[in-house]
Amino acid sequence: MTDTTRTDTIRWGILATGGIAHAFTNDLVRNGFQVQAVGSRSQASADAFAAEFGIPTAHPSYEALAADPDVDIIYISTPHPFHAENAKLALNAGKHVLIEKPITLNGAEAREVVDLAATLGLLVLEGMWTRFLPHMVRIREILAEGTLGDVRTLIADHTQDLPDDPAHRLNAMHLGGGALLDLGIYPLTFASELFGRPETILATATFKATGADAQIATTFRYAGGQIAQTLSASNTTGPNTATILGTLGRIDIDRVWYSPTDFRVLNSANEVIETFTAEINGRGMHYQAAEAEQLIRAGKISSDILPVEEVVAIMETLDLVRAQIGLRYPGEYAGVRAPCSGR
């Protein structure tokens, strides 16, 4: 395992150089994190990325990045069908990993990655950056204080009008395209945070010509009687807001709810009793990096805010949703099960 006890500085490696890697690295750099190296499938791409962000080392392969002794943790930003393979490469090289969401393509792959990390004593953190944002921190505090009473319902959408090009990552089945895994995972993860694993799942979807899901609506019911309703779409732009309903009030989270934003807490008389305004430096992707560094320094391999077992459970829920709507990716092994008992 990489020795991070010899210094307070934790050194990041960036695996792949696509758009999300640019956004994440930009937030790291502007907020004072040390980005030590980048790895790409070509030297030219790695060199360009390194030059853009002032990164000391540019590797021409993912293998070279994983083997770099000056890297402590690797951010994996490839398309999700490659997450499991890339994570195993980094873990087997002794590196902690922050894996862009969804952590893998399905629940079986997620379990393999989590179990390997546990065996090696290394951190796995899914890059569900929303959960670490300041407004979500405050929402957790409000819920813990009992301000809303008994929380009963979540209503949330993640809807964007994205490119229709069949070759685009969001539409290409071999790249894990579709609204559910790329967009729907946000509200479904939010529902998991509030209510846990659903007892009953109802899902319906429409599809693009490529086979990727374009719209997907879900209704989840939980053992305590709570309900979560979500809508995700890659071909329409909706409000992108979220509402948490409780017996004593509600929280209305503004557009775009899964990014740094504002919210209001209202009581049962519809009176505003608290307003939260987001103030951050950058896009907000560095908060998940701060969580990862804190965990590494504490010698922990799972986050209390986003535990690895919850991440696996979320992927298994996504598997059940996909089984209902008939969504399976090319070359996928038995990670998606047929639904049973209404689940």
Side-chain angles (χ1 to χ4, degrees):
M1 186 189 307
T2 303
D3 179 12
T4 55
T5 61
R6 58 187 169 10
T7 174
D8 286 335
T9 300
I10 292 173
R11 302 159 301 177
W12 287 82
I14 309 298
L15 192 150
T17 57
I20 194 67
H22 278 79
F24 177 70
T25 305
N26 182 63
D27 271 3
L28 289 189
V29 171
R30 72 187 297 167
N31 285 281
F33 293 80
Q34 181 169 332
V35 184
Q36 179 65 32
V38 59
S40 180
R41 290 175 296 180
S42 75
Q43 188 69 64
S45 176
D47 287 342
F49 194 94
E52 179 178 352
F53 294 107
I55 299 172
T57 307
H59 294 290
S61 70
Y62 302 155
E63 291 79 7
L65 174 66
D68 189 332
D70 294 326
V71 169
D72 302 309
I73 180 169
I74 292 178
Y75 170 66
I76 295 170
S77 65
T78 47
H80 31 275
F82 308 107
H83 286 178
E85 173 188 349
N86 300 150
K88 291 175 186 177
L89 173 68
L91 290 167
N92 282 320
K95 303 299 191 286
H96 305 284
V97 289
L98 172 64
I99 308 171
E100 186 54 48
K101 54 81 200 157
I103 188 172
T104 54
L105 195 61
N106 55 50
E109 290 183 352
R111 172 53 65 194
E112 290 178 1
V113 169
V114 166
D115 286 352
L116 175 61
T119 298
L120 297 172
L122 293 165
L123 172 71
V124 170
L125 183 65
E126 184 184 46
M128 178 48 68
W129 60 296
T130 300
R131 191 165 288 196
F132 305 98
L133 293 174
H135 72 291
M136 288 298 182
V137 173
R138 179 56 189 147
I139 286 172
R140 283 194 293 274
E141 293 171 348
I142 291 168
L143 297 179
E145 291 162 1
T147 304
L148 297 192
D150 188 11
V151 178
R152 308 304 303 164
T153 308
L154 170 68
I155 304 169
D157 79 304
H158 186 172
T159 46
Q160 299 187 43
D161 188 9
L162 299 171
D164 285 327
D165 179 3
H168 190 280
R169 180 181 65 82
L170 266 295
N171 304 316
M173 293 296 286
H174 71 284
L175 296 177
L180 177 63
L181 292 192
D182 218 276
L183 309 179
I185 190 171
Y186 283 92
L188 268 61
T189 296
F190 196 10
S192 172
E193 180 175 17
L194 294 177
F195 305 129
R197 189 191 290 260
E199 184 177 74
T200 302
I201 296 171
L202 295 175
T204 187
T206 58
F207 293 85
K208 295 187 174 183
T210 63
D213 56 300
Q215 295 184 92
I216 181 160
T218 68
T219 299
F220 292 172
R221 184 175 64 81
Y222 300 83
Q226 305 95 335
I227 290 177
Q229 290 189 317
T230 77
L231 173 66
S232 302
S234 62
N235 60 358
T236 55
T237 301
N240 285 308
T241 57
T243 298
I244 305 170
L245 303 176
T247 54
L248 298 180
R250 73 178 191 269
I251 298 175
D252 289 338
I253 311 175
D254 289 345
R255 174 181 181 87
V256 173
W257 71 265
Y258 46 84
S259 297
T261 193
D262 305 341
F263 68 79
R264 289 162 307 288
V265 184
L266 297 92
N267 62 21
S268 55
N270 212 39
E271 301 165 330
V272 176
I273 58 176
E274 179 176 335
T275 298
F276 180 93
T277 300
E279 295 181 4
I280 68 163
N281 180 23
R283 189 183 184 194
M285 298 191 78
H286 59 287
Y287 290 104
Q288 62 186 341
E291 172 72 2
E293 292 197 358
Q294 176 186 344
L295 293 168
I296 292 169
R297 291 189 179 101
K300 296 182 178 180
I301 63 173
S302 180
S303 168
D304 292 336
I305 298 173
L306 184 58
V308 291
E309 289 302 323
E310 182 188 358
V311 170
V312 172
I314 291 167
M315 291 310 304
E316 291 173 346
T317 297
L318 288 167
D319 288 348
L320 292 170
V321 171
R322 291 208 283 133
Q324 277 202 19
I325 64 174
L327 176 61
R328 185 182 289 272
Y329 292 103
E332 190 174 30
Y333 56 86
V336 181
R337 303 181 302 277
C340 58
S341 302
R343 298 182 70 170

